[in-house]
Amino acid sequence: MTYIAKPRVFHPSLEKNELGLTRRDYEGVMSTLCAGCGHDSVTAALIEAAWELAIPTHRAAKMSGIGCSSKTTAYFMSESHGFNSVHGRMPSVASGANAANRDLVYVGVSGDGDSLSIGLGQLCHAVRRNLNLLYIIENNGVYGLTKGQFSASADMGSKSKRGVPNEQPPIDPARLGLSIGATFVARGFSGDKQQLVPIIKAGIRHPGLALVDVISPCVTFNDHVGSTKSYAYTREHFREAVEAAFVAPKDFVPPAEEIAADIGSAEVRDVRMHDGSVIRFRQVEGDYDATDRDAVYGYLSERQNAGEVPTGLLYVDPESRDLHDVLGTVDRPLWDLPFEELCPGADALDALMENYR
Amino acid sequence: MEPTNVGNPDYYHKVVDCQWACPAHTNVPGYIRLIAQERYDDAYMLNWESNVFPGILGRTCDRPCEPACRRGRVEDKPVAICRLKRVAADLRGDITPRFPEIPKQKNGRKIACVGAGPASLTVARDLMPLGYEVTIFEKNDRPGGLMWTNIPQFRLPPEVLWEEIDYILDMGVDIRYDAPVKSMKWLLEQGFDAIFVGSGAPRGKELRLPGRYETDHIYIGIDWLESVAFGHTNSIEENVLVIGVGNTAMDCCRTSKRIGGTNVKVMARKSKPYFKASPWELEDAEEELVDIVENHSPTEFVVEDGVLRGMKFDIVEWHENDQGRLVSTKLDEAFFPADAVILAIGQESAFPWIEDDAGIEFNKWREAVVDRTTFMSTREGVFFGGDAAWGPENIIWAAEHGHQAAISIHAYCSGEDIRKRPPEHMNLVSAKMGLHEWSYSNDYEYAGRRKMRHVRLEERLGSIETEVEEGFDLEQTLTEVERCLNCDLQTHFTGSLCIECDACIDICPLNCLTITHNGEEAELRTRLLAPAENTEQDIYVSEPLPQTARVMVKDEDLCIHCGLCAERCPTAAWDMRTFDLLKPYAGREEDHPYSGMGIEEMAPGGFVSAAP
């Protein structure tokens, strides 16, 4: 916990995005998390991504539940909407908000406790609904707020701070997501923003639920030798499956040209999304195909069984249709519809009921 | 890049821009913190140790520290360092009990100083506590040199001057007034073990143009100021032209305004960016309704029947030629009426009293050949310092010359090699006082530079004795001290502790930090989170970090020393450490009775600590 306010003085070379805002304009209040918490780096990555995408801060909504992770939403984009909900219930509240106002950018930040234990059912159904939401799970394998008990994502054999190994199998959010139809699955590491920022950007722009599992070490309760979620362990077992970059429609350059400018780079493959944006994959693993759900599932199982931490923008469905698309709701946000249209009254209901007689 | 060696005192010293820029390396942030704690005596003594004349310099210093101040790069204006120095002097109590003891038993060595200006006085102050007998020969009837003769009273009240000079003379210096040294050979025969020449640069430069010697209304600036100081001159004609635009010209025009000059113009050959005067002295002159006329190159004094009528000028414009030198093109001519002209176009040293066969070599400009390190001339045992050494500088340089010459004299008299200079040392002490407590105030003060209040124009122009600057009041002082960024609170990094969690990088408000792969400096500078474009400022590079073998890089340029990196570091790899430069003085390398204490520590017996 830090008591000094971050001074509002800036480096003179601080860049502005197309809205005329600097990164500092995307900051929130000073973090009260432990010094060195991975979550603060996720915050920094969110700030960077939102700045790069030039998201108008008043057009975004930050949703969270309970836990250290869920405090994150206070630490970025002070001017955005926000809802800090009941434990594990962020997806429901986000669903409601998204249903009412489809025009906002939704960023949900949760943790392995909030999403994989008490809120597991909520998570699964939000994934199935394909809510247009960036869903970040800050995953550190422990309940930090209650002093370091194993969470549902703790690996078998990972040791607690007191040296006791975990003997229950973990829930892997990435494979869980793949198995229930997630249209965007990624894994990052708080200690590698170079990889994380493009993933977050692509996730924010993804038309549907973008499930991002971020290994985000708990510096107080789970950063010791024997832990499988420490900075050192993650770095040692980190394996990048594929490198992804988000390319906004206006910035699009055919890959052939980019390769020509960067001789010797690996093979590049573009996956074009509905809105014209592109996710550009640079192969790291020879034949990795981020659009082949079953192959990705198999790859993750294989690498994780070998003790590795596969990372990257692991899977994306270019045909993703979000909740509103599936339901066929009107383009105009529901909150903005005149009351008479949104709720046409008893006569209209009666007329509708007549059809079913 | 090689990992930065922070064990070399120069690295952290350089981070303290003001202290590094100060010729005497005064511990500026240290005394500013003492002022903030209302410890004015301590603040004064910390100054006195290095710059000898805090009260005088707090009003007159050329302030090389202020353009260097980091605050000037982070926002517009630097900390008003000089003003704060004056606060320490104004509010100090009786500090005389803290002065070093002067041994009753002398060491048998006798030193002669020529001229009682700041350089000689500093030599005396440094040597008297070591048991030397110091004799100063002064041509005037009072000490101070140019501090007395050339700095007008409205900038430096005489009582301030005498008080600080007396601190030194009261150590038992044998000062002889009205005793100009007329012969170096004579002086050499008087049995002194070493001679220090601190006779200044007393000769004003001439402007040999037609008409120069046809009237007695053309004055040499420094001579005229001296004559005013001694009360020999107490009026001037109404229409005055001051030729030259250095700080002497500013003193001349402002003095003229007070003793009869109603229409006073400063005539500059070049344009404003090239003016030699300090910006604040220019401002003060303009505030007193002095016209400053640029791009006018004098060509002739117009004298009719022995009466000065004015001066002719070429109106010029300046541009750089192919060699990068400034050259002028004449555009037009102009005539300015005047009843008096003051020449303030520079000054030089003059040694008519040093015989050619005295063993002291001179260069073609009749400047003595003086070693830049030892301050010794080509004659063993004869040292030079202050303006007498390499021409006009300022008081703070003179003080530093005095310190260095004193080191040499002490080594010379002890039979040691004067080329072997005593090394600088440093103290580096963690400022961490508790989980979230630091031994300094690190909340950022957003206030702008406090402005010095001046006495009303009518009042000040009525008297040459009225000090223009009123000094800072308490509110101004308390705000200004908080503007200091505490650059001596160093961000000290221990790479082996780093877990590369990025916390410091994420929190740093000025984007000073980056973890990246090492490289050559020029290339590495471009790869930082914010490009390190100010190459005058170092970048710090750590040892390879334990987990990834990348390096921590810090661009020192804009670090505001807020301590957030250390505050957010989970492993204390970053720490804030108070840096205290231990600067050597004559005879004080080993036991260091003046310094040698961290400012916060206040070792007993030192100047800064309370008197026993």
Side-chain angles (χ1 to χ4, degrees), chain A residues 139 187-191 214-217 222-223 227-239 308-309 311, chain B residues 547:
Chain A
N139 187 348
R187 183 179 290 124
F189 169 43
S190 69
V214 184
I215 307 301
S216 175
N222 208 6
D223 194 39
S227 156
T228 60
K229 293 271 192 292
S230 68
Y231 282 106
Y233 184 95
T234 308
R235 286 208 165 90
E236 222 168 285
H237 298 83
F238 185 91
R239 179 165 187 144
E308 292 177 348
V309 183
T311 62
Chain B
Q547 290 191 12

Side-chain angles (χ1 to χ4, degrees), chain B residues 539-554:
Chain B
I539 57 175
Y540 164 88
V541 178
S542 73
E543 302 274 345
L545 299 177
Q547 290 191 12
T548 64
R550 294 177 298 170
V551 287
M552 176 70 77
V553 185
K554 181 194 172 201

Side-chain angles (χ1 to χ4, degrees), chain B residues 319-567:
Chain B
H319 49 91
E320 278 188 22
N321 69 8
D322 298 341
Q323 283 92 51
R325 288 190 52 179
L326 270 188
V327 290
S328 63
T329 314
K330 179 175 166 181
L331 300 177
D332 203 351
E333 292 177 4
F335 171 78
F336 282 76
D339 330 306
V341 173
I342 303 175
L343 301 177
I345 52 176
Q347 61 198 81
E348 53 204 4
S349 53
F351 304 104
W353 53 281
I354 300 182
E355 294 87 347
D356 288 344
D357 57 350
I360 295 166
E361 257 179 56
F362 286 87
N363 64 20
K364 59 180 172 178
W365 300 285
R366 272 301 285 180
E367 289 169 346
V369 176
V370 180
D371 186 289
R372 287 267 172 194
T373 308
T374 64
F375 291 73
M376 193 160 82
S377 68
T378 53
R379 175 162 181 133
E380 287 247 316
V382 179
F383 300 84
F384 281 66
D387 292 358
W390 299 286
E393 284 278 3
N394 42 55
I395 303 170
I396 189 71
W397 270 112
E400 178 57 13
H401 287 182
H403 290 313
Q404 294 304 322
I407 288 173
S408 292
I409 291 170
H410 181 56
Y412 177 77
C413 290
S414 313
E416 284 161 18
D417 180 6
I418 61 169
R419 298 211 66 82
K420 207 174 142 251
R421 310 304 287 182
E424 286 182 345
H425 297 289
M426 64 173 175
N427 272 342
L428 203 58
V429 181
S430 178
K432 199 169 176 71
M433 307 292 281
L435 209 50
H436 298 285
E437 284 169 288
W438 302 93
S439 68
Y440 70 110
S441 157
N442 53 358
D443 278 335
Y444 192 86
E445 170 60 65
Y446 294 93
R449 183 183 165 109
R450 301 291 94 181
K451 202 168 159 41
M452 175 60 76
R453 278 191 319 273
H454 289 171
V455 172
R456 281 185 313 119
L457 208 54
E458 311 85 81
E459 198 180 326
R460 74 171 105 137
L461 292 184
S463 158
I464 199 152
E465 287 162 11
T466 306
E467 186 174 14
V468 173
E469 295 181 347
E470 296 188 321
F472 273 177
D473 64 20
L474 192 63
E475 181 278 325
Q476 286 176 304
T477 302
L478 293 179
T479 306
E480 195 64 39
V481 289
E482 289 298 326
R483 293 185 72 239
C484 175
L485 298 175
N486 302 290
C487 298
D488 61 335
L489 266 295
Q490 305 285 349
T491 55
H492 184 84
F493 186 68
T494 308
S496 57
L497 297 176
C498 179
I499 57 169
E500 300 171 59
C501 67
D502 284 3
C504 53
I505 293 167
D506 296 337
I507 200 70
C508 178
L510 272 299
N511 307 107
C512 302
L513 305 175
T514 308
I515 297 180
T516 185
H517 299 284
N518 207 340
E520 287 305 311
E521 178 169 351
E523 179 265 339
L524 188 55
R525 280 175 173 272
T526 64
R527 268 198 286 126
L528 305 185
L529 211 57
E533 282 162 357
N534 182 358
T535 50
E536 286 177 14
Q537 290 283 321
D538 287 336
I539 57 175
Y540 164 88
V541 178
S542 73
E543 302 274 345
L545 299 177
Q547 290 191 12
T548 64
R550 294 177 298 170
V551 287
M552 176 70 77
V553 185
K554 181 194 172 201
D555 178 11
E556 298 286 1
D557 187 19
L558 295 170
C559 170
I560 57 171
H561 300 258
C562 61
L564 277 170
C565 50
E567 179 85 14

